[in-house]
Amino acid sequence: MSPVVMFGLAGLVVLVGAVVQGGAGLGMNLLAAPLLTLVDRALVPVPLLVASLVLALMAMRREFGHVDWRGTSFAVAGRLPGTALGVYAVAALPVRGFSMTIGVLVLVCLVLSVVSWRPKPTPAALLAAGFAGGAMGTASSIGAPPVALLYQHESGPRIRATLSAYIVFGSVLSLVALGLGGQIGSPQIFGSLLLLPFMAAGFALSGPLRRHLDAGWMRPCVLALAGGSAVLLIVRSL
């Protein structure tokens, strides 16, 4: 595959992912991580994390007044030990079994929330969701769905703004850990610069989708993205 074709494919994947995440609050890593890995493994995880961080900052700024800072603080507190578990799991446990377990748990929560369970972003639930998201994000780069499930009944702006704040802190934690581990160098910096313009274009295009989702489609979209992440983890494990 020529560099030009690789550049175009990677940019298109990130652009589409940024449109989805700009409208729903999550989804870019879910769409982009597996496809970017196929295009060029150097684009995952550092360049994708940088793109996710900048996208989340832009989204949070756009709807800053809707951020649930109290909820975000509990989710981030839970993410800290969850990230440590994810690092340990990647280093010492069978990655397939670990990823499949997390995927099944997310899928069970999703089914329960559709059938009878009405989850609420309580402190205990947010700590647990942040913990699961930290482990899940470190092992697979997809860490927002557990927190998103707790906010599925909130308004669109509140979901997007709060998830963006959570993703900002989570991405910073992951990048610091990767930097301390010596995983950030010139190829990762170049890959980040390559993806950022496409991410910005996707974010700019997400406005119409955001308005459409806020008209009654926000919860189905969140559930679909959370379910997609769980299925993807299970399929990749198999």
Side-chain angles (χ1 to χ4, degrees):
M1 188 181 297
S2 71
V4 174
V5 174
M6 289 175 59
F7 178 87
L9 285 175
L12 180 61
V13 167
V14 170
L15 187 147
V16 173
V19 171
V20 173
Q21 184 157 321
L26 75 163
M28 186 166 79
N29 285 8
L30 167 63
L31 296 174
L35 296 174
L36 288 182
T37 301
L38 294 176
V39 173
D40 187 346
R41 289 188 62 86
L43 295 174
V44 179
V46 173
L48 185 55
L49 279 170
V50 171
S52 298
L53 170 61
V54 177
L55 175 61
L57 283 169
M58 293 168 67
M60 186 173 68
R61 180 180 179 275
R62 184 166 63 181
E63 298 178 302
F64 189 81
H66 295 279
V67 177
D68 178 10
W69 289 110
R70 182 172 180 271
T72 300
S73 66
F74 282 110
V76 171
R79 184 167 180 127
L80 288 169
T83 299
L85 174 62
V87 171
Y88 170 77
V90 170
L93 301 178
V95 176
R96 289 184 176 182
F98 181 74
S99 296
M100 179 175 286
T101 299
I102 293 176
V104 170
L105 288 174
V106 172
L107 207 56
V108 168
C109 290
L110 187 149
V111 172
L112 288 175
S113 69
V114 171
V115 176
S116 60
W117 179 44
R118 187 180 175 90
K120 295 182 179 180
T122 62
L126 285 164
L127 285 169
F131 180 85
M136 191 172 169
T138 303
S140 66
S141 78
I142 303 170
V147 176
L149 285 175
L150 295 179
Y151 282 92
Q152 62 181 274
H153 294 286
E154 302 290 332
S155 66
R158 190 172 180 83
I159 294 173
R160 284 189 297 268
T162 303
L163 286 180
S164 295
Y166 173 70
I167 291 170
V168 165
F169 287 106
S171 298
V172 169
L173 286 174
S174 297
L175 287 169
V176 168
L178 289 166
L180 292 175
Q183 300 300 313
I184 299 179
S186 297
Q188 287 73 32
I189 295 173
F190 176 77
S192 301
L193 295 175
L194 177 102
L195 298 182
L196 285 175
F198 294 97
M199 178 279 300
F203 177 76
L205 293 171
S206 68
L209 177 62
R210 183 166 53 110
R211 291 191 292 271
H212 178 70
L213 292 175
D214 288 350
W217 289 95
M218 192 66 186
R219 181 170 181 260
C221 184
V222 168
L223 292 176
L225 290 171
S229 69
V231 171
L232 177 61
L233 284 174
I234 294 170
V235 170
R236 286 169 63 180
S237 299
L238 296 174

